[in-house]
Amino acid sequence: MISAIVRKAQSETSILFELIAERYEHRSLIITCDRSCADWASIFADQTMTVAAIDRLVHHATILEFGSEGYRKRAAAARTSNPPPQPAAEATSRLLLASRASSARARSST
């Protein structure tokens, strides 16, 4: 499975940094992420802001790293390898034919 990292705009990362900085040493903050801190540099536009945000997050942090594949990633892989059953084409075509037949009858009775 190929995973893409989308770079965020400066305005988006600034808002996140402001939230982190505001709560730093004052309130609790829980962040979940499927990327390591090393990967954040490729997401955030400003390298200095990235380092500062990570520094504030890990300073008094308790980091829980599970090191396992996420639930959504496992579920997506399962859907890809075992696609859900599709409605039978025969039933769908019967429905279309029945719909067309009733439309034809309605036109012929007028």
Side-chain angles (χ1 to χ4, degrees):
M1 175 180 256
I2 297 173
S3 179
I5 297 176
V6 178
R7 180 173 284 282
K8 298 297 179 185
Q10 178 73 32
S11 60
E12 293 173 311
T13 57
S14 293
I15 291 170
L16 178 59
F17 179 77
E18 286 175 28
L19 173 69
I20 293 168
E22 182 179 308
R23 297 187 71 87
Y24 177 62
E25 293 190 338
H26 298 288
R27 304 271 183 194
S28 297
L29 182 64
I30 296 175
I31 294 182
T32 62
C33 186
D34 64 343
R35 304 279 178 219
S36 69
C37 290
D39 291 340
W40 285 25
S42 61
I43 299 170
F44 292 88
D46 184 353
Q47 184 74 26
T48 306
M49 188 184 308
T50 305
V51 172
I54 292 171
D55 182 58
R56 283 168 176 77
L57 286 171
V58 301
H59 182 229
H60 296 294
T62 300
I63 299 173
L64 304 174
E65 189 172 345
F66 297 103
S68 65
E69 208 170 48
Y71 169 77
R72 283 184 231 124
K73 189 174 182 180
R74 274 195 315 267
R79 281 193 306 271
T80 303
S81 62
N82 298 320
Q86 297 296 322
E90 186 177 301
T92 305
S93 63
R94 251 189 265 129
L95 179 62
L96 285 171
L97 291 174
S99 174
R100 289 182 189 151
S102 62
S103 296
R105 272 182 278 173
R107 280 192 301 251
S108 65
S109 66
T110 56

XYZ file of all heavy atoms in Angstrom:
842
model
N 0.844 -1.172 0.000
C 0.000 0.000 0.000
C 0.896 1.245 0.000
O 1.815 1.361 0.797
C -0.902 -0.035 1.229
C -1.733 1.208 1.374
S -2.784 1.130 2.817
C -4.309 0.803 2.000
N 0.633 2.184 -0.863
C 1.400 3.420 -0.946
C 0.698 4.479 -0.119
O -0.498 4.676 -0.216
C 1.527 3.889 -2.411
C 2.295 2.844 -3.216
C 2.202 5.244 -2.482
C 2.324 3.119 -4.687
N 1.478 5.161 0.686
C 0.906 6.193 1.546
C 1.490 7.535 1.138
O 2.697 7.669 1.006
C 1.243 5.881 3.003
O 0.717 6.870 3.825
N 0.640 8.502 0.940
C 1.097 9.829 0.529
C 1.007 10.796 1.702
O 0.075 10.737 2.488
C 0.236 10.341 -0.617
N 1.995 11.634 1.810
C 1.981 12.681 2.822
C 1.669 13.979 2.109
O 2.327 14.347 1.153
C 3.343 12.780 3.536
C 3.639 11.470 4.272
C 3.353 13.946 4.492
C 4.986 11.436 4.930
N 0.642 14.655 2.572
C 0.217 15.894 1.945
C 0.797 17.072 2.713
O 0.593 17.197 3.917
C -1.328 15.988 1.917
C -1.776 17.295 1.309
C -1.914 14.804 1.179
N 1.533 17.912 2.028
C 2.096 19.104 2.659
C 0.968 20.086 2.935
O 0.112 20.323 2.095
C 3.134 19.757 1.746
C 3.759 21.012 2.360
C 4.887 21.543 1.515
N 6.099 20.779 1.632
C 6.957 20.854 2.656
N 6.698 21.641 3.651
N 8.048 20.139 2.672
N 0.967 20.637 4.130
C -0.064 21.584 4.535
C 0.391 23.010 4.282
O 1.580 23.307 4.255
C -0.391 21.412 6.028
C -0.954 20.052 6.362
C -2.269 19.861 5.655
C -2.866 18.505 5.930
N -4.049 18.248 5.190
N -0.564 23.902 4.110
C -0.273 25.316 3.866
C 0.260 25.966 5.144
O -0.013 25.507 6.254
C -1.537 26.036 3.408
N 0.995 27.034 4.976
C 1.565 27.768 6.104
C 0.473 28.206 7.086
O 0.654 28.118 8.293
C 2.339 28.988 5.590
C 2.949 29.862 6.672
C 4.153 29.208 7.332
O 4.868 28.469 6.685
N 4.358 29.488 8.598
N -0.662 28.655 6.588
C -1.745 29.110 7.471
C -2.281 27.966 8.330
O -2.591 28.153 9.508
C -2.869 29.737 6.654
O -3.401 28.797 5.753
N -2.394 26.768 7.756
C -2.882 25.611 8.506
C -1.906 25.210 9.609
O -2.310 24.946 10.745
C -3.116 24.425 7.577
C -4.242 24.624 6.595
C -4.331 23.510 5.585
O -3.298 23.144 4.992
O -5.444 22.997 5.402
N -0.639 25.160 9.273
C 0.349 24.758 10.268
C 0.530 25.829 11.338
O 0.807 25.516 12.489
C 1.700 24.415 9.615
O 2.165 25.527 8.856
C 1.571 23.199 8.724
N 0.342 27.085 10.977
C 0.432 28.169 11.967
C -0.667 28.040 13.018
O -0.427 28.254 14.212
C 0.322 29.534 11.291
O 1.437 29.772 10.484
N -1.863 27.693 12.584
C -2.978 27.517 13.521
C -2.686 26.367 14.481
O -2.900 26.477 15.691
C -4.302 27.296 12.763
C -4.703 28.585 12.047
C -5.409 26.826 13.700
C -5.855 28.424 11.091
N -2.180 25.260 13.953
C -1.838 24.127 14.809
C -0.735 24.518 15.798
O -0.814 24.203 16.987
C -1.403 22.925 13.984
C -0.973 21.689 14.790
C -2.101 21.197 15.695
C -0.503 20.590 13.861
N 0.275 25.236 15.315
C 1.354 25.664 16.205
C 0.819 26.588 17.304
O 1.219 26.468 18.466
C 2.471 26.367 15.426
C 3.573 26.842 16.328
C 4.503 25.945 16.833
C 3.657 28.166 16.703
C 5.500 26.374 17.693
C 4.656 28.604 17.553
C 5.582 27.699 18.051
N -0.071 27.497 16.953
C -0.651 28.404 17.956
C -1.398 27.615 19.034
O -1.306 27.938 20.223
C -1.600 29.403 17.294
C -0.881 30.480 16.510
C -1.838 31.392 15.766
O -2.991 31.560 16.230
O -1.438 31.927 14.720
N -2.127 26.597 18.632
C -2.836 25.759 19.596
C -1.846 25.053 20.523
O -2.009 25.059 21.748
C -3.702 24.722 18.873
C -4.363 23.678 19.770
C -5.444 24.315 20.625
C -4.921 22.549 18.936
N -0.817 24.472 19.947
C 0.195 23.778 20.745
C 0.884 24.749 21.691
O 1.046 24.471 22.883
C 1.222 23.074 19.827
C 0.550 21.931 19.065
C 2.417 22.560 20.637
C 1.377 21.355 17.937
N 1.285 25.919 21.189
C 1.992 26.911 22.002
C 1.105 27.450 23.119
O 1.560 27.646 24.246
C 2.491 28.052 21.121
N -0.172 27.662 22.838
C -1.105 28.191 23.843
C -1.311 27.207 24.994
O -1.401 27.589 26.154
C -2.443 28.517 23.183
C -3.463 29.123 24.133
C -4.763 29.440 23.419
O -4.718 30.124 22.382
O -5.809 28.981 23.913
N -1.374 25.930 24.659
C -1.628 24.917 25.680
C -0.355 24.444 26.375
O -0.426 23.818 27.426
C -2.371 23.750 25.054
C -3.743 24.198 24.535
C -4.562 23.047 24.058
N -5.035 22.214 25.126
C -6.169 22.426 25.818
N -6.928 23.447 25.531
N -6.535 21.601 26.772
N 0.808 24.767 25.817
C 2.092 24.323 26.364
C 2.255 24.797 27.808
O 2.150 25.980 28.107
C 3.232 24.853 25.484
C 4.613 24.534 25.981
C 5.043 23.219 26.106
C 5.491 25.542 26.325
C 6.314 22.916 26.549
C 6.773 25.264 26.763
C 7.172 23.945 26.884
O 8.428 23.660 27.333
N 2.470 23.850 28.706
C 2.659 24.054 30.141
C 1.440 24.659 30.851
O 1.561 25.124 31.975
C 3.917 24.867 30.436
C 5.187 24.125 30.065
C 6.454 24.789 30.566
O 6.439 26.004 30.840
O 7.462 24.076 30.664
N 0.279 24.692 30.200
C -0.931 25.213 30.837
C -2.065 24.189 30.854
O -2.809 24.125 31.824
C -1.420 26.490 30.143
C -0.445 27.612 30.208
N -0.190 28.299 31.370
C 0.365 28.137 29.263
C 0.734 29.226 31.134
N 1.079 29.144 29.854
N -2.243 23.478 29.792
C -3.347 22.532 29.655
C -2.841 21.234 29.012
O -1.777 21.203 28.415
C -4.448 23.097 28.748
C -5.003 24.414 29.172
C -6.146 24.208 30.095
N -6.706 25.522 30.421
C -7.535 25.701 31.390
N -7.925 24.697 32.108
N -7.996 26.898 31.634
N -3.676 20.217 29.103
C -3.343 18.944 28.463
C -3.700 18.991 26.981
O -4.586 19.738 26.569
C -4.114 17.801 29.120
O -3.748 17.680 30.460
N -3.030 18.178 26.218
C -3.290 18.097 24.787
C -3.002 16.666 24.351
O -1.954 16.117 24.671
C -2.386 19.077 24.029
C -2.539 19.171 22.522
C -3.923 19.689 22.156
C -1.484 20.088 21.934
N -3.948 16.075 23.678
C -3.761 14.724 23.150
C -3.733 14.819 21.635
O -4.630 15.397 21.020
C -4.897 13.781 23.588
C -4.888 13.618 25.101
C -4.766 12.429 22.900
C -6.049 12.809 25.634
N -2.710 14.242 21.048
C -2.577 14.233 19.588
C -2.353 12.791 19.155
O -1.540 12.082 19.738
C -1.404 15.111 19.123
C -1.696 16.559 19.445
C -1.128 14.920 17.635
C -0.630 17.525 18.999
N -3.097 12.382 18.146
C -2.853 11.074 17.554
C -2.362 11.294 16.139
O -2.803 12.216 15.446
C -4.129 10.200 17.528
O -5.109 10.834 16.715
C -4.674 10.001 18.921
N -1.443 10.462 15.726
C -0.857 10.623 14.391
C -0.340 9.278 13.924
O 0.157 8.481 14.723
C 0.274 11.643 14.460
S 0.950 12.056 12.852
N -0.450 9.040 12.647
C 0.083 7.796 12.105
C 1.481 7.986 11.517
O 1.998 7.125 10.837
C -0.869 7.218 11.059
C -1.022 8.099 9.843
O -0.658 9.281 9.917
O -1.515 7.608 8.818
N 2.087 9.112 11.793
C 3.442 9.419 11.308
C 4.362 9.681 12.487
O 3.942 10.207 13.516
C 3.429 10.675 10.434
C 2.494 10.619 9.290
C 3.107 9.848 8.168
N 2.135 9.775 7.085
C 1.968 8.710 6.350
N 2.696 7.659 6.555
N 1.084 8.691 5.400
N 5.617 9.341 12.329
C 6.593 9.655 13.367
C 6.924 11.143 13.302
O 6.658 11.812 12.293
C 7.864 8.827 13.162
O 8.542 9.267 12.005
N 7.503 11.660 14.354
C 7.876 13.081 14.378
C 8.860 13.417 13.252
O 8.849 14.532 12.738
C 8.481 13.442 15.730
S 7.271 13.438 17.065
N 9.676 12.473 12.860
C 10.627 12.700 11.770
C 9.912 13.000 10.449
O 10.437 13.739 9.608
C 11.532 11.487 11.605
N 8.722 12.455 10.271
C 7.956 12.679 9.035
C 7.235 14.017 9.009
O 6.774 14.452 7.962
C 6.918 11.567 8.836
C 7.545 10.230 8.522
O 8.716 10.208 8.094
O 6.868 9.209 8.714
N 7.118 14.673 10.157
C 6.377 15.929 10.207
C 7.035 17.020 9.381
O 6.354 17.914 8.881
C 6.215 16.387 11.653
C 5.194 15.608 12.430
C 4.770 14.331 12.184
C 4.482 16.054 13.557
N 3.834 13.956 13.106
C 3.638 14.989 13.968
C 4.463 17.236 14.283
C 2.795 15.092 15.051
C 3.616 17.324 15.367
C 2.791 16.270 15.748
N 8.332 16.963 9.200
C 9.032 17.987 8.413
C 8.545 18.003 6.964
O 8.574 19.042 6.304
C 10.536 17.759 8.466
N 8.089 16.868 6.468
C 7.602 16.823 5.087
C 6.143 17.263 4.978
O 5.635 17.431 3.880
C 7.773 15.419 4.507
O 7.023 14.502 5.256
N 5.479 17.451 6.106
C 4.075 17.879 6.100
C 3.968 19.385 6.309
O 3.223 20.071 5.635
C 3.274 17.136 7.196
C 3.302 15.632 6.935
C 1.847 17.636 7.253
C 2.756 14.802 8.072
N 4.736 19.898 7.278
C 4.676 21.310 7.632
C 5.567 22.137 6.716
O 6.668 21.717 6.354
C 5.096 21.511 9.087
C 4.116 20.923 10.060
C 4.215 19.606 10.473
C 3.077 21.687 10.549
C 3.311 19.059 11.353
C 2.154 21.149 11.434
C 2.280 19.835 11.833
N 5.095 23.312 6.364
C 5.820 24.173 5.415
C 7.073 24.805 6.028
O 8.070 24.986 5.358
C 4.882 25.258 4.893
N 7.007 25.137 7.306
C 8.109 25.846 7.959
C 8.868 24.893 8.878
O 8.325 24.413 9.879
C 7.542 27.029 8.755
C 8.609 27.887 9.402
O 9.793 27.520 9.353
O 8.238 28.934 9.961
N 10.119 24.629 8.550
C 10.948 23.690 9.309
C 11.134 24.140 10.760
O 11.059 23.343 11.683
C 12.315 23.535 8.626
C 13.227 22.529 9.265
C 12.795 21.102 8.983
O 12.144 20.827 7.980
N 13.148 20.201 9.855
N 11.357 25.431 10.970
C 11.567 25.961 12.319
C 10.323 25.776 13.177
O 10.409 25.388 14.342
C 11.954 27.458 12.257
O 13.075 27.600 11.393
C 12.279 28.006 13.617
N 9.164 26.039 12.605
C 7.903 25.874 13.326
C 7.673 24.400 13.659
O 7.183 24.076 14.743
C 6.732 26.413 12.510
C 5.435 26.445 13.286
S 4.012 26.955 12.314
C 4.565 28.463 11.594
N 8.052 23.517 12.759
C 7.895 22.086 12.988
C 8.714 21.644 14.192
O 8.214 20.953 15.087
C 8.327 21.282 11.745
O 7.602 21.739 10.613
C 8.088 19.801 11.930
N 9.964 22.058 14.232
C 10.853 21.693 15.342
C 10.326 22.273 16.656
O 10.312 21.588 17.686
C 12.301 22.153 15.060
C 13.186 21.964 16.276
C 12.863 21.412 13.863
N 9.871 23.513 16.626
C 9.342 24.153 17.838
C 8.081 23.444 18.328
O 7.904 23.246 19.543
C 9.057 25.628 17.570
N 7.210 23.066 17.425
C 5.976 22.368 17.804
C 6.303 21.014 18.425
O 5.767 20.661 19.482
C 5.064 22.196 16.595
N 7.181 20.262 17.793
C 7.563 18.955 18.325
C 8.232 19.110 19.684
O 7.965 18.343 20.616
C 8.467 18.198 17.326
C 7.656 17.818 16.086
C 9.072 16.955 17.973
C 8.478 17.274 14.942
N 9.092 20.116 19.826
C 9.764 20.369 21.096
C 8.746 20.614 22.210
O 8.851 20.055 23.303
C 10.704 21.565 20.953
C 11.454 21.843 22.233
O 12.164 20.924 22.710
O 11.329 22.965 22.766
N 7.749 21.417 21.965
C 6.721 21.710 22.963
C 5.872 20.476 23.272
O 5.451 20.267 24.398
C 5.838 22.861 22.504
C 6.505 24.212 22.659
C 5.742 25.305 21.925
N 6.318 26.615 22.137
C 7.412 27.069 21.537
N 8.073 26.298 20.685
N 7.867 28.287 21.772
N 5.606 19.681 22.248
C 4.779 18.489 22.454
C 5.484 17.431 23.297
O 4.865 16.795 24.150
C 4.367 17.885 21.107
C 3.305 18.644 20.331
C 3.153 18.054 18.942
C 1.983 18.635 21.069
N 6.758 17.223 23.075
C 7.446 16.125 23.757
C 8.087 16.536 25.079
O 8.506 15.669 25.845
C 8.497 15.458 22.838
C 7.841 14.918 21.587
C 9.631 16.387 22.504
N 8.147 17.830 25.397
C 8.829 18.296 26.597
C 8.302 17.646 27.869
O 9.049 17.109 28.675
C 8.758 19.823 26.694
C 9.478 20.367 27.881
N 8.900 21.276 28.731
C 10.720 20.123 28.374
C 9.754 21.580 29.685
N 10.869 20.894 29.501
N 7.020 17.668 28.114
C 6.420 17.054 29.300
C 5.518 15.881 28.910
O 4.617 15.516 29.661
C 5.570 18.076 30.068
C 6.352 19.208 30.625
N 7.294 19.054 31.618
C 6.342 20.534 30.332
C 7.818 20.223 31.922
N 7.257 21.153 31.144
N 5.739 15.319 27.761
C 4.798 14.344 27.204
C 5.003 12.933 27.731
O 6.097 12.542 28.109
C 4.912 14.326 25.687
N 3.923 12.213 27.691
C 3.957 10.764 27.803
C 3.607 10.268 26.413
O 2.504 10.510 25.917
C 2.910 10.252 28.819
O 3.202 10.826 30.091
C 2.929 8.746 28.899
N 4.553 9.642 25.771
C 4.358 9.205 24.386
C 4.005 7.726 24.388
O 4.732 6.904 24.944
C 5.613 9.461 23.542
C 5.926 10.958 23.526
C 5.426 8.918 22.124
C 7.229 11.302 22.855
N 2.885 7.416 23.806
C 2.446 6.035 23.653
C 2.604 5.671 22.186
O 1.889 6.193 21.334
C 0.989 5.872 24.081
C 0.646 6.311 25.500
C -0.851 6.238 25.726
C 1.396 5.482 26.517
N 3.527 4.803 21.904
C 3.740 4.382 20.518
C 3.378 2.917 20.421
O 3.952 2.068 21.097
C 5.197 4.595 20.115
C 5.428 4.376 18.660
C 6.835 4.779 18.236
O 7.516 5.478 18.996
O 7.230 4.373 17.143
N 2.392 2.635 19.602
C 1.883 1.281 19.508
C 2.631 0.447 18.479
O 2.688 -0.756 18.591
C 0.380 1.295 19.197
C -0.403 1.933 20.292
C -0.876 3.219 20.170
C -0.648 1.265 21.473
C -1.586 3.824 21.186
C -1.354 1.852 22.498
C -1.831 3.139 22.363
N 3.175 1.072 17.471
C 3.967 0.348 16.485
C 3.193 -0.694 15.700
O 3.757 -1.660 15.221
N 1.906 -0.519 15.594
C 1.109 -1.464 14.819
C 0.327 -0.716 13.760
O 0.215 0.499 13.782
C 0.153 -2.239 15.732
O -0.790 -1.361 16.289
N -0.195 -1.483 12.848
C -0.989 -0.902 11.776
C -2.316 -0.402 12.344
O -2.901 -1.038 13.214
C -1.249 -1.988 10.743
C -1.430 -1.484 9.361
C -1.441 -2.633 8.375
O -2.159 -3.610 8.612
O -0.727 -2.534 7.397
N -2.782 0.718 11.847
C -4.033 1.294 12.320
C -5.243 0.490 11.862
O -5.202 -0.242 10.876
N -6.335 0.671 12.593
C -7.573 -0.033 12.279
C -8.071 0.304 10.876
O -8.450 -0.567 10.108
C -8.649 0.316 13.320
C -10.019 -0.165 12.924
C -10.364 -1.505 13.058
C -10.959 0.709 12.388
C -11.608 -1.951 12.678
C -12.205 0.263 12.010
C -12.521 -1.068 12.160
O -13.752 -1.510 11.767
N -8.084 1.588 10.533
C -8.603 1.990 9.213
C -7.760 1.427 8.086
O -8.275 1.042 7.047
C -8.685 3.510 9.121
C -9.877 4.044 9.860
C -9.995 5.545 9.684
N -10.141 6.077 11.028
C -9.385 6.985 11.581
N -8.439 7.554 10.896
N -9.576 7.374 12.803
N -6.449 1.388 8.282
C -5.562 0.845 7.251
C -5.819 -0.653 7.069
O -5.880 -1.145 5.943
C -4.108 1.096 7.645
C -3.127 0.774 6.568
C -1.733 1.196 6.989
C -0.726 0.928 5.905
N 0.622 1.325 6.304
N -5.995 -1.379 8.176
C -6.306 -2.811 8.087
C -7.649 -3.032 7.411
O -7.797 -3.916 6.574
C -6.334 -3.430 9.485
C -5.003 -3.880 9.993
C -5.145 -4.804 11.200
N -6.096 -4.361 12.200
C -5.794 -3.626 13.265
N -4.557 -3.234 13.460
N -6.727 -3.289 14.127
N -8.646 -2.230 7.769
C -9.981 -2.380 7.185
C -9.957 -2.087 5.688
O -10.601 -2.776 4.904
C -10.974 -1.466 7.898
N -9.202 -1.061 5.288
C -9.102 -0.728 3.861
C -8.420 -1.848 3.092
O -8.840 -2.194 1.987
C -8.340 0.582 3.687
N -7.382 -2.422 3.673
C -6.692 -3.532 3.011
C -7.612 -4.738 2.881
O -7.616 -5.420 1.856
C -5.434 -3.901 3.789
N -8.414 -4.985 3.914
C -9.356 -6.104 3.861
C -10.408 -5.877 2.786
O -10.794 -6.803 2.073
C -10.011 -6.311 5.223
N -10.881 -4.634 2.656
C -11.889 -4.332 1.624
C -11.307 -4.505 0.233
O -11.984 -4.953 -0.676
C -12.412 -2.914 1.791
C -13.437 -2.750 2.879
C -14.132 -1.403 2.787
N -13.215 -0.282 2.763
C -12.747 0.350 3.829
N -13.095 -0.041 5.034
N -11.934 1.377 3.719
N -10.042 -4.154 0.074
C -9.396 -4.261 -1.227
C -9.204 -5.723 -1.625
O -9.445 -6.100 -2.764
C -8.026 -3.550 -1.217
O -8.238 -2.198 -0.834
C -7.373 -3.587 -2.569
N -8.785 -6.552 -0.661
C -8.550 -7.958 -0.979
C -9.831 -8.772 -1.025
O -9.910 -9.767 -1.724
C -7.574 -8.570 0.028
O -8.130 -8.521 1.330
N -10.853 -8.366 -0.297
C -12.155 -9.043 -0.293
C -13.249 -8.020 -0.527
O -13.928 -7.617 0.399
C -12.402 -9.741 1.051
C -11.383 -10.803 1.341
O -10.989 -11.523 0.454
N -10.952 -10.885 2.589
N -13.470 -7.582 -1.775
C -14.491 -6.557 -2.019
C -15.878 -7.064 -1.644
O -16.164 -8.245 -1.768
C -14.383 -6.285 -3.520
C -13.681 -7.451 -4.092
C -12.853 -8.056 -2.992
N -16.728 -6.162 -1.147
C -18.081 -6.579 -0.775
C -18.847 -7.034 -2.006
O -18.594 -6.563 -3.117
C -18.704 -5.311 -0.178
C -17.885 -4.191 -0.714
C -16.510 -4.750 -0.965
N -19.787 -7.951 -1.825
C -20.551 -8.429 -2.984
C -21.366 -7.303 -3.605
O -21.945 -6.484 -2.908
C -21.450 -9.516 -2.396
C -21.481 -9.253 -0.933
C -20.217 -8.542 -0.573
N -21.358 -7.272 -4.905
C -22.116 -6.271 -5.652
C -23.487 -6.848 -5.969
O -23.647 -8.056 -6.088
C -21.387 -5.914 -6.955
C -20.036 -5.285 -6.732
C -20.138 -3.943 -6.031
O -21.039 -3.174 -6.300
N -19.234 -3.686 -5.103
N -24.501 -5.991 -6.139
C -25.828 -6.512 -6.511
C -25.750 -7.221 -7.858
O -24.974 -6.828 -8.728
C -26.705 -5.266 -6.600
C -25.818 -4.092 -6.454
C -24.468 -4.565 -6.020
N -26.515 -8.253 -7.980
C -26.505 -9.029 -9.216
C -26.927 -8.156 -10.386
O -27.900 -7.414 -10.309
C -27.432 -10.231 -9.087
N -26.181 -8.246 -11.465
C -26.495 -7.456 -12.658
C -27.869 -7.834 -13.192
O -28.597 -6.997 -13.705
C -25.425 -7.672 -13.719
N -28.220 -9.108 -13.040
C -29.512 -9.575 -13.532
C -30.657 -8.865 -12.803
O -31.608 -8.413 -13.435
C -29.620 -11.088 -13.311
C -30.845 -11.715 -13.908
C -30.811 -13.207 -13.687
O -29.865 -13.868 -14.143
O -31.751 -13.691 -13.036
N -30.572 -8.753 -11.500
C -31.624 -8.088 -10.730
C -31.720 -6.620 -11.113
O -32.805 -6.075 -11.247
C -31.350 -8.230 -9.236
N -30.582 -5.976 -11.316
C -30.574 -4.572 -11.703
C -31.207 -4.395 -13.071
O -32.021 -3.501 -13.274
C -29.122 -4.037 -11.721
O -28.539 -4.293 -10.455
C -29.090 -2.561 -12.018
N -30.854 -5.251 -14.027
C -31.425 -5.109 -15.366
C -32.917 -5.398 -15.346
O -33.680 -4.782 -16.068
C -30.700 -6.006 -16.362
O -30.868 -7.354 -16.019
N -33.376 -6.347 -14.494
C -34.797 -6.606 -14.385
C -35.532 -5.380 -13.876
O -36.602 -5.044 -14.353
C -35.043 -7.779 -13.420
C -35.492 -9.013 -14.145
C -35.936 -10.089 -13.193
N -34.795 -10.965 -12.958
C -34.342 -11.335 -11.780
N -34.937 -10.954 -10.690
N -33.306 -12.119 -11.681
N -34.942 -4.700 -12.917
C -35.544 -3.494 -12.372
C -35.655 -2.423 -13.452
O -36.681 -1.780 -13.591
C -34.708 -2.992 -11.190
C -35.181 -1.712 -10.509
C -36.561 -1.914 -9.904
C -34.199 -1.291 -9.452
N -34.602 -2.259 -14.258
C -34.636 -1.280 -15.337
C -35.692 -1.648 -16.374
O -36.423 -0.794 -16.841
C -33.261 -1.178 -16.003
C -32.203 -0.431 -15.219
C -30.841 -0.590 -15.893
C -32.549 1.038 -15.116
N -35.764 -2.917 -16.728
C -36.751 -3.352 -17.709
C -38.159 -3.140 -17.185
O -39.042 -2.708 -17.915
C -36.530 -4.820 -18.078
C -35.270 -5.107 -18.885
C -35.095 -6.612 -19.054
C -35.332 -4.418 -20.237
N -38.389 -3.450 -15.917
C -39.718 -3.253 -15.338
C -40.075 -1.778 -15.336
O -41.202 -1.408 -15.637
C -39.749 -3.807 -13.915
N -39.116 -0.929 -15.041
C -39.354 0.500 -15.029
C -39.688 0.990 -16.439
O -40.605 1.773 -16.619
C -38.111 1.215 -14.490
O -38.268 2.599 -14.603
N -38.955 0.525 -17.420
C -39.217 0.929 -18.802
C -40.577 0.428 -19.275
O -41.298 1.119 -19.973
C -38.118 0.412 -19.722
C -36.828 1.127 -19.537
C -35.783 0.613 -20.488
N -34.490 1.168 -20.153
C -33.348 0.585 -20.378
N -33.325 -0.608 -20.949
N -32.215 1.158 -20.046
N -40.939 -0.801 -18.900
C -42.218 -1.367 -19.322
C -43.363 -0.563 -18.733
O -44.337 -0.268 -19.422
C -42.306 -2.826 -18.866
N -43.258 -0.155 -17.462
C -44.350 0.608 -16.879
C -44.421 1.991 -17.511
O -45.513 2.534 -17.714
C -44.183 0.717 -15.357
O -43.010 1.406 -15.039
N -43.296 2.580 -17.903
C -43.304 3.873 -18.585
C -43.949 3.744 -19.964
O -44.722 4.601 -20.370
C -41.889 4.401 -18.742
O -41.318 4.662 -17.488
N -43.657 2.640 -20.655
C -44.224 2.416 -21.984
C -45.733 2.231 -21.893
O -46.486 2.741 -22.715
C -43.563 1.201 -22.636
N -46.185 1.488 -20.874
C -47.616 1.295 -20.693
C -48.310 2.610 -20.387
O -49.391 2.890 -20.889
C -47.882 0.309 -19.545
C -47.914 -1.128 -20.034
C -48.232 -2.036 -18.906
N -46.907 -2.172 -18.293
C -46.603 -2.769 -17.173
N -47.548 -3.276 -16.456
N -45.403 -2.862 -16.731
N -47.702 3.437 -19.598
C -48.294 4.720 -19.253
C -48.410 5.609 -20.493
O -49.407 6.294 -20.685
C -47.446 5.420 -18.175
N -47.403 5.564 -21.375
C -47.450 6.369 -22.607
C -48.503 5.841 -23.556
O -49.189 6.598 -24.230
C -46.077 6.376 -23.270
C -45.094 7.327 -22.659
C -43.890 7.465 -23.555
N -43.258 6.176 -23.747
C -42.088 5.796 -23.238
N -41.414 6.639 -22.499
N -41.584 4.612 -23.459
N -48.635 4.506 -23.670
C -49.585 3.945 -24.638
C -51.023 4.118 -24.204
O -51.932 4.133 -25.025
C -49.266 2.466 -24.870
O -49.487 1.722 -23.683
N -51.261 4.255 -22.890
C -52.653 4.423 -22.436
C -53.145 5.837 -22.592
O -54.331 6.108 -22.456
C -52.786 3.961 -20.981
O -52.031 4.826 -20.156
N -52.278 6.783 -22.908
C -52.716 8.179 -23.056
C -53.098 8.490 -24.464
O -52.900 7.868 -25.407
C -51.604 9.150 -22.609
O -50.435 8.888 -23.334
C -51.420 9.060 -21.143
